[in-house]
Amino acid sequence: MSESRAPQASEIDAHILDVLRHRVGKDERAAKPHDWFTATVLALRDAVIDRWFESTRRTYDAGGKRVYYLSLEFLIGRLLRDALSNMGLTREMEQALKNHGLDLSELENLEPDAALGNGGLGRLAACFMESLASLDIPAYGYGIRYVNGMFRQRIDDGWQVELPETWLAHGNPWEFERRESSYRIGFGGEVVEAVDGVAWKPAEQVEATAVDTPVVGWRGKRVNTLRLWTASALDPIRLDAFNAGDHMGALADQVRADSLVRVLYPADSSPAGQELRLRQEYFFTSASIQDIVRRHVQYYGDIRTLPDKAAIQLNDTHPAVAVAELMRLMVDVHGLEFGEAWEVTRKTVGYTNHTLLPEALESWPLPLFERLLPRHMQIVYAINSRVLREARKGGLDEPAVSAISLIDEGGERRVRMANLAFAGAHSVNGVAALHTELMKTTVFSDLHKLYPGKINNKTNGVTPRRWLQQCNPGLTATIRDAIGDAFLDDAEALTALNALAGDAALGERVAEVKRANKVALAAHLKDLTGIRLDPDALFDVQIKRIHEYKRQLLNLIETVALYDQIRSHPEKDWVPRVKIFGGKAAPSYHNAKLIIKLANDIARRVNADPSVGGLLKVVFVPNYNVSLAERIIPAADLSEQISTAGMEASGTGNMKFALNGALTLGTLDGANIEIKDRVGDENIVIFGLTADEVAHQRANGYNPRAVIEGSRELQQAIAAIASGVFSPDDKDRYAALMGGIYDSDWFLCAADFDSYAAAQRSVDRRWEDQAGWRKSAIHNIANVGWFSSDRTIAEYAREIWGVL
């Protein structure tokens, strides 16, 4: 296929057949669907490769600066539909496959979701990679090629069961191994004197090898590289041990290397788990930094010019050891003085913070860090001495100096990775306006005093290609008919819909698309769970990682209260509702797994109760992932964004739902605030305490028991759950979970319950005015184009990276 013009369907057809025969090794008459899928991807990939090479050549010819985005997660989902759409070849591919009696959408469904992430952090990284290519910014994404991902979630009797992802079982047709890009990664050992300083002599080494996946930008403007690392032992088998009969021991080195790339976020509740996590993070960070430095020195010679040609962005604290690794390479390998290396590092590195939860700001036991990375420990100490001198020179008091230190001296001594990233970066950004302001006053208050210019805001965004055009083609076509095609290239052009929000005909068409999406989702969930759903009911959706601060529990308690109300007052004209939950709980997070079980227990009881008829259904969707989100979000009427105010950094699901015409029910948390500012108070439903009010409650003796006893609905719902109404096989199953709300309620479910319940009833009233609901839905679609990741990346590019 030629890169100079878009190929015709007949050319694509011929190319697919050629690939099928000569690369897949199948005759057209014998080929199975998976053979056709592989041939389709490989044929498309050939066109992508031409653009990829051309993009790389342009970057080298221009001597341009590159962005290097380091992230432990890249939740990229399926790639076939995305690449076809961005290359502008969807219709031609559909026609070419139709000639052979094949349906493109059915082949797309054969592609497994890449098991390279878990939640918002990884999906954001994927959106950013797509936007970098769409904005024609040269970039590499760096991560790990996980063989088994985090886990595949199965629900057995309502409980989450973790099984390995097997997305690579039949290979990955998108990727290319780059054997020439291999690096030694060391662990342990000692630091010894050398002629010009010191040398690290690792006790153990593994080899990291690059595996590249092309990332196609909108209209094929640029193709960038997602470079993922795989690990292997330097000697895959010790033949002496094998021949001596120690067959398992002979493979120990390879197994140890393999463990680095097997699982995302291995449980760290044991010392072995903690060590594996630190090994993983250093493994991918070291390989990435070595690759960046090697490329720069190869093409530009002088490591001192690195900030002119490279912008390294750390996506959260997982790659924070990059600061020490870059220092190690410049000082130990390239011979820079420590002060000069520190200046180069700070000019090159940026750090994005994603959490205000102190326990989520990574830190490592100092003995573990020093044993695994002895040279890096020395460098951290040296950086720390500089930082503490700056702090004392700046007049900070000793408590502030202690909080700034890269070493936590309280109790078990620990290395604070967030402080290392903050000190070693020229830019530290939050991901929503509220989050960024809270960074300055909470977790980084003292570092902010020391470096007052570093913290800046870059509100998150989502790619409108995947999250509107591809996942909701019906709505996309309706918008094109209404306002033309400008929004396809600039999502902010969606504001033209505001003038048409009251147009009854447009409202009808938007509603028809929504209902069609709900019918399709209902059919899919019937196949998946066996539960029948009414597409004319209000689809009320909360799909995200299961965590107590995200407050799925508040939603479930209100669901029980609603269930009681419907049964107690059958004479009322209740709005039919479908409550859809989805998300994974960390394997060692007991309460989160219990919340999943509660959701399934409530669903089993409610869905089997004829007294509520079709007025309430509850469904927990197993194994929530990107592809399921692409089905669920276009079908949602109500988007639940109900985290405890001040605890969600940003959220991006909130943006995707609004872009697809769902109304948000949320707290003033994360990006909800900015969504409210964009769509208008009348087109969003806000409830609950503000972040300041949450802090005040916690600081001033909040008494949840009194709150519960003052709310009849809440008290009855908690009592029903605690007493075993929904768990007759184990009446005490939820006693402790409910007891936690009575005794402490750190996430303020009780404090926000009455406000939340009232907001839900206001949603009912809005739903009954369908014309008003449709108008609000259109205003949401119209006004959230600003939350495109193109806008976010353009801000990073101008204000942090200096590449636009």
Side-chain angles (χ1 to χ4, degrees), residues 536-551:
D536 292 315
L538 188 159
F539 278 24
D540 174 351
V541 181
Q542 189 177 18
I543 45 173
K544 54 184 73 230
R545 183 167 54 94
I546 309 297
H547 197 291
E548 286 166 285
Y549 87 81
K550 294 178 184 286
R551 296 203 298 192

Side-chain angles (χ1 to χ4, degrees), residues 514-529 531 533 535 539-541 543 578 580 619 621 627-637 657:
K514 180 69 72 174
R515 191 179 189 281
N517 292 337
K518 291 166 74 174
V519 168
L521 178 63
H524 183 71
L525 294 184
K526 171 69 168 59
D527 291 342
L528 206 59
T529 68
I531 300 171
L533 305 177
F539 278 24
D540 174 351
V541 181
I543 45 173
V578 172
I580 298 173
V619 58
V621 184
S627 295
L628 272 170
E630 290 169 358
R631 291 177 183 269
I632 295 169
I633 289 170
D637 296 306
F657 280 107

Side-chain angles (χ1 to χ4, degrees), residues 14-247:
H15 191 50
I16 289 172
L17 287 178
D18 181 65
V19 169
L20 185 69
R21 290 167 185 154
H22 298 114
R23 288 155 72 184
V24 179
K26 280 290 184 77
D27 179 78
E28 178 185 353
R29 288 165 294 185
K32 302 295 186 222
H34 62 264
D35 298 316
W36 285 105
F37 164 74
T38 303
T40 299
V41 170
L42 293 177
L44 173 62
R45 194 183 75 170
D46 287 345
V48 168
I49 288 168
D50 292 336
R51 301 280 178 93
W52 200 9
F53 291 170
E54 186 270 332
S55 299
T56 304
R57 281 196 300 269
R58 273 196 292 127
T59 303
Y60 281 124
D61 291 347
K65 188 175 185 178
R66 276 192 176 91
V67 172
Y68 296 108
Y69 196 81
L70 273 63
S71 179
L72 202 57
E73 297 184 42
F74 286 95
L75 200 57
I76 57 177
R78 294 167 172 165
L79 295 182
L80 175 55
R81 183 170 67 179
D82 186 59
L84 275 173
S85 177
N86 280 1
M87 290 289 286
L89 294 174
T90 302
R91 286 183 184 173
E92 291 81 0
M93 186 65 79
E94 282 176 344
Q95 185 56 54
L97 292 169
K98 202 172 182 181
N99 295 340
H100 303 281
L102 296 163
D103 184 315
L104 174 59
S105 64
E106 290 180 6
L107 291 189
E108 288 171 347
N109 287 334
L110 294 178
E111 183 173 11
D113 272 46
L116 298 172
N118 172 39
L121 183 86
R123 186 52 235 171
L124 181 78
C127 284
F128 278 8
M129 287 302 298
E130 196 264 5
S131 281
L132 281 159
S134 295
L135 293 181
D136 201 18
I137 297 171
Y140 274 73
Y142 281 110
I144 293 177
R145 181 183 178 268
Y146 299 103
V147 176
N148 299 122
M150 188 172 168
F151 60 84
R152 176 168 56 88
Q153 182 192 60
R154 193 174 73 201
I155 302 298
D156 285 356
D157 190 30
W159 293 101
Q160 170 178 290
V161 176
E162 299 96 25
L163 301 168
E165 292 271 16
T166 54
W167 73 291
L168 291 172
H170 304 293
N172 176 8
W174 291 106
E175 67 184 20
F176 297 84
E177 184 181 65
R178 306 298 193 196
R179 281 179 289 175
E180 70 280 7
S181 296
S182 294
Y183 302 94
R184 298 279 178 95
I185 313 298
F187 298 100
E190 60 180 343
V191 181
V192 299
E193 263 193 284
V195 176
D196 297 320
V198 298
W200 177 27
K201 302 293 185 185
E204 171 194 344
Q205 288 185 309
V206 298
E207 187 166 79
T209 300
V211 179
D212 289 353
T213 298
V215 179
V216 184
W218 175 234
R219 300 196 188 280
K221 186 182 297 184
R222 171 175 285 279
V223 179
N224 279 329
T225 302
L226 175 60
R227 174 158 286 187
L228 305 175
W229 299 104
T230 189
S232 57
L234 303 187
D235 294 309
I237 183 171
R238 287 173 44 223
L239 279 175
D240 56 343
F242 192 87
N243 290 331
D246 185 7
H247 303 137

